[in-house]
Amino acid sequence: MNIHVCKTVPIEYSQVINAYHKVKKGGKAAGIDNESWIEFDQKVESNLYVVWNRLASGSYHPQAVREVEIPKKDGKMRKLGIPTLRDRIAQQVVKDYMERRIDKLFHENSYGYRPLKSAHQAIEQVRQNCYRQDWVIDMDISKFFDEIDHGLMIKAVEHVMEEKWVKMYVERWLRMPVQKQDGTVQPKGGKGTPQGGVISPLLANLYLHFTLDMWLSKHYPQVNFVRYADDVVVHCTSKAEAEEVLEAIKRRLGEVKLQIKEEKTRIAYCRDYRRTARHEVVKFEFLGFSYQPRARKSVRDGKYFTAFTAEISQTNQKRIRTEIRELKLWRNTVVKMSSITKHLNAKLRGWIAYYGKYSIRSLRNTLMMVDRKLIKWLKNKHKISYRKSTAKLNSIRQANPELFYHWKMGYC
């Protein structure tokens, strides 16, 4: 293929190919053009050439994003903006280019969507901070991705990237209108970056790097904080300090056109055997884990004591049980158990890998739902009593201890 083109933007064809492979792993949802990966791949080389040609010549213009809604934990709906496949590839190219140059500038306590950073690292840092400082601000930013101010966002991009073409493409993606579910197209109105856009997490990190991370480091260097995208916890030494810092954060966010979600923001006390002051809130959640006082047995003398520890939250325990309970295969007594195994093991592997990091007791109790459903399924399949189906499952487990992933890992 002839890949000579009048280039005004230093993007190589190889960068587009690399971006294509990354984006293809990320999801199958189509944008407003309804183009699928199957259709795209029928002429993959020419399609990638078109994307590269337009990016490299500065003539690339994105289409509107398709709005979809997914349920949130509180029962409300979260709006996502799904770009076209081609727009996702183009965003990935620029994201990779920017990330190599600016990730090193980000604060060490920013963990979300960064190379060599993980949710588990953030969770562990929060756990360590809870040992050192007694009070926590559990903070929720209201509609963060919807409220990011375009003017301040571009100012942040200009501060860290000299290339004018980077600013040009970021502006175009920020201005992408939204096609609502009824087909109408709505302009952005100078704010918001769509959740669902490939470049949005990087832009969100850049926005909060200047508006929150560096501000906290400058004005309150004595506090510790952990941020994963827009999920933030701030650790303070005293209740008075926590109250002061929270009020200051509210004012700061107002200056950068954001605000706290009051009903989900609280000050919590890290109560344990050493810290026994009275406070109505002694629990907070972060990245699916609940941090709270729990009884623990001392390895040294076998006595129980109160520790402030992390464990899978009740919200996520309920979500996992619901997902297990609603598996359609439980109603099909014709299929073999291997079909259930095949469907559940990937989910079990993911749950155990993530939530099994700390204090597995609650997770083990949650995953017992699988065995209860298996007993009921065997009872219906073989028309036997509950006692006999329980004995049958125990026999199957003894003969095939690695059949289900939670059996293999001892969660039974």
Side-chain angles (χ1 to χ4, degrees), residues 49-319:
Y49 176 80
V50 169
V51 173
W52 172 73
N53 193 346
R54 292 176 180 172
L55 276 174
S57 63
S59 62
Y60 191 92
H61 288 272
Q63 294 182 267
V65 297
R66 180 174 64 89
E67 184 178 87
V68 298
E69 293 184 341
I70 60 172
K72 296 168 64 175
K73 292 179 182 179
D74 59 7
K76 297 179 181 179
M77 302 301 290
R78 173 180 282 113
K79 294 180 180 180
L80 301 181
I82 309 299
T84 66
L85 304 185
R86 295 164 191 253
D87 286 337
R88 298 215 289 272
I89 294 169
Q91 287 187 29
Q92 185 70 50
V93 171
V94 178
K95 174 184 177 290
D96 288 344
Y97 185 91
M98 292 180 66
E99 195 167 60
R100 284 193 296 270
R101 290 156 178 80
I102 69 173
D103 184 75
K104 61 187 176 183
L105 304 177
F106 290 157
H107 199 285
E108 62 179 355
N109 292 335
S110 167
Y111 290 88
Y113 308 107
R114 294 184 59 191
L116 306 179
K117 294 274 192 175
S118 71
H120 278 157
Q121 289 176 333
I123 292 160
E124 174 61 21
Q125 189 60 58
V126 169
R127 199 169 73 98
Q128 294 297 327
N129 289 345
C130 287
Y131 292 150
R132 300 186 187 104
Q133 292 172 291
D134 297 356
W135 296 86
V136 172
I137 302 170
D138 178 18
M139 194 173 80
D140 194 304
I141 301 176
S142 179
K143 299 179 180 179
F144 170 66
F145 283 88
D146 296 331
E147 297 296 327
I148 287 177
D149 181 77
H150 289 181
L152 292 175
M153 185 76 262
I154 292 301
K155 186 176 180 180
V157 171
E158 288 177 325
H159 190 75
V160 296
M161 299 294 300
E162 295 180 355
E163 297 89 334
K164 292 183 179 180
W165 64 267
V166 172
K167 173 191 170 185
M168 174 185 71
Y169 279 134
V170 170
E171 282 184 317
R172 289 179 186 176
W173 283 315
L174 288 174
R175 291 200 302 264
M176 283 190 302
V178 178
Q179 185 185 76
K180 310 293 283 185
Q181 293 181 334
D182 62 4
T184 59
V185 177
Q186 180 179 330
K188 282 288 185 58
K191 64 179 183 179
T193 181
Q195 282 185 273
V198 172
I199 203 168
S200 293
L202 178 64
L203 296 181
N205 272 337
L206 181 58
Y207 196 88
L208 286 177
H209 170 73
F210 288 113
T211 61
L212 186 62
D213 299 355
M214 299 309 294
W215 178 86
L216 273 172
S217 296
K218 178 180 178 180
H219 295 280
Y220 294 95
Q222 76 278 15
V223 308
N224 288 300
F225 70 92
V226 173
R227 182 173 67 78
Y228 194 95
D230 61 330
D231 204 343
V232 189
V233 289
V234 182
H235 304 260
C236 302
T237 302
S238 67
K239 183 180 180 182
E241 181 180 62
E243 291 170 342
E244 177 190 341
V245 172
L246 177 56
E247 289 304 312
I249 289 174
K250 289 179 182 179
R251 291 192 298 271
R252 171 58 178 172
L253 291 181
E255 293 170 358
V256 296
K257 304 184 181 181
L258 296 173
Q259 60 182 342
I260 289 284
K261 185 180 288 186
E262 294 284 355
E263 64 272 20
K264 287 193 174 182
T265 297
R266 69 198 69 191
I267 294 174
Y269 179 54
C270 303
R271 181 180 295 162
D272 60 14
Y273 73 97
R274 300 171 296 122
R275 300 175 289 199
T276 57
R278 290 188 175 276
H279 187 68
E280 59 181 6
V281 180
V282 292
K283 171 184 174 181
F284 69 94
E285 293 188 7
F286 180 67
L287 299 184
F289 285 81
S290 170
Y291 294 75
Q292 64 187 79
R294 292 184 175 91
R296 289 291 179 263
K297 192 175 183 179
S298 172
V299 177
R300 185 172 53 192
D301 57 16
K303 294 181 179 180
Y304 282 89
F305 66 99
T306 301
F308 195 84
T309 62
E311 197 168 90
I312 180 175
S313 68
Q314 290 185 355
T315 303
N316 285 288
Q317 291 178 50
K318 181 179 179 181
R319 178 182 60 82

Side-chain angles (χ1 to χ4, degrees), residues 337-338 341 345 371 374 378 391-410 412:
M337 187 176 286
S338 58
T341 302
N345 270 349
D371 288 24
L374 283 169
L378 287 169
K392 188 173 184 65
L393 182 65
N394 289 336
S395 177
I396 293 170
R397 185 166 57 209
Q398 289 173 4
N400 302 278
E402 296 186 2
L403 183 62
F404 285 92
Y405 190 74
H406 71 300
W407 292 357
K408 177 181 178 181
M409 302 303 293
C412 57

Side-chain angles (χ1 to χ4, degrees), residues 321-351:
R321 289 193 187 101
T322 299
E323 197 164 338
I324 294 169
R325 189 184 301 114
E326 294 180 350
L327 176 65
K328 293 181 180 179
L329 286 175
W330 298 130
R331 298 192 291 271
N332 188 343
T333 55
V334 177
V335 299
K336 295 180 179 180
M337 187 176 286
S338 58
S339 297
I340 298 174
T341 302
K342 183 178 180 181
H343 187 89
L344 276 180
N345 270 349
K347 294 179 181 293
L348 290 167
R349 188 176 290 108
W351 291 331

